[in-house]
Amino acid sequence: MMATGHLPKISIITVTYQAGERLATTIKSVMSQTYRNKEYVIVDGGSTDETLAIIGRYRRMIDEVISEPDKGIYDAMNKGLSLVSPDSDYVIFMNAGDVFYNHVVLDAILPGRTGDKHLYGNIYRDGQIVSQPVQLSDFYLSTQMICHQSILFATRLHQRVLYDCRYSISADFKAVLEMRKNGDIFEKVDQAICKYEGGGVSDLQRQELFGQRLEILQQYPSLLRMYRGKTFLKRCLPFHNQLRMR
């Protein structure tokens, strides 16, 4: 039974590079969260636009800031994980341009939690709440991935599994598979976590995304078999429907 009076500490990490006012939008969303036991970390990739000036405007409300060149978004996210406080219970990545669904999201989810499992919720997209799967099963993960911004990772468990920077737009997918391989639990909460607009790298480079995911699945034989089964059925269905129409 959860101790409802306990307020676990959550570390909110924002990774940014040359994002300008999109970063300001995320900072404002983070600052609007009414949940008390939180810290905020910003990892900038050495921006030369107005990013540092924007960070400066809000600096007193940001716990940790680092600005230096990195090897890509996942390298920056790994840096963020290394900067959170030792007493951090949960971590969520709200990168430049990302925003929470509303200002009480964390209050609705975290009280009484103990940081022993990962949490994930729904997303708000195209004017409506979109439900994510009730269970994060192997069958689901063989071809799909939940929205990264909707996951509150248990910090201790996440720090055992860092992002593999060889996969420039799919390292989050591999990390989730590794966590499940380790026996980590992902619990669904009935709450919209973030507003998702799409248009990110993974949306714009779909062919590269699927290519990287297929390469990752080669390392997980049972998931690869499910993937092949699903793709086989997908190819067969149009032919099956044609036979039924005859």
Side-chain angles (χ1 to χ4, degrees), residues 1-3 6 8-9 88-91 109-110 112-119 152-158 160 179 182-187:
M1 186 175 182
M2 291 191 300
H6 173 62
K9 186 170 190 174
S88 172
D89 296 297
Y90 290 95
V91 60
I109 297 171
L110 287 175
R113 298 285 180 177
T114 58
D116 61 338
K117 64 184 73 170
H118 309 295
L119 309 171
L152 286 73
F153 292 99
T155 306
R156 176 181 57 84
L157 299 178
H158 197 340
R160 299 191 308 180
M179 291 173 189
N182 289 343
D184 293 6
I185 297 172
F186 285 79
E187 179 183 325

Side-chain angles (χ1 to χ4, degrees), residues 165-185:
C165 297
R166 292 177 298 171
Y167 302 104
S168 58
I169 54 177
S170 297
D172 55 336
F173 177 62
K174 185 175 189 297
V176 167
L177 297 187
E178 277 297 299
M179 291 173 189
R180 283 179 49 79
K181 183 179 178 181
N182 289 343
D184 293 6
I185 297 172

Side-chain angles (χ1 to χ4, degrees), residues 19-26 28 49-51 54 57-58 97:
E21 286 303 318
R22 295 179 67 244
L23 172 61
T25 298
T26 300
K28 291 174 185 176
D49 63 355
E50 66 268 41
T51 292
I54 291 170
R57 293 207 304 261
Y58 301 95

Side-chain angles (χ1 to χ4, degrees), residues 79-97:
K79 288 181 182 180
L81 282 171
S82 72
L83 292 172
V84 302
S85 299
D87 60 344
S88 172
D89 296 297
Y90 290 95
V91 60
I92 185 170
F93 290 93
M94 298 296 287
N95 294 335

Side-chain angles (χ1 to χ4, degrees), residues 98-133:
D98 296 336
V99 295
F100 285 101
Y101 173 62
N102 60 32
H103 66 281
V104 295
V105 167
L106 301 179
D107 276 309
I109 297 171
L110 287 175
R113 298 285 180 177
T114 58
D116 61 338
K117 64 184 73 170
H118 309 295
L119 309 171
Y120 70 99
N122 300 319
I123 64 174
Y124 181 85
R125 184 174 190 175
D126 298 329
Q128 61 184 343
I129 294 177
V130 179
S131 294
Q132 299 203 99

Side-chain angles (χ1 to χ4, degrees), residues 20-36:
E21 286 303 318
R22 295 179 67 244
L23 172 61
T25 298
T26 300
I27 293 175
K28 291 174 185 176
S29 177
V30 172
M31 295 302 148
S32 73
Q33 284 297 303
T34 56
Y35 187 76
R36 297 196 307 274

Side-chain angles (χ1 to χ4, degrees), residues 20 38 48 57 75 132 150 157 163 168-169 172 175 184 190-191 203 235:
K38 63 182 182 291
T48 56
R57 293 207 304 261
D75 180 42
Q132 299 203 99
S150 71
L157 299 178
Y163 295 101
S168 58
I169 54 177
D172 55 336
D184 293 6
D190 188 21
Q191 168 69 44
D203 286 325
R235 289 196 300 268

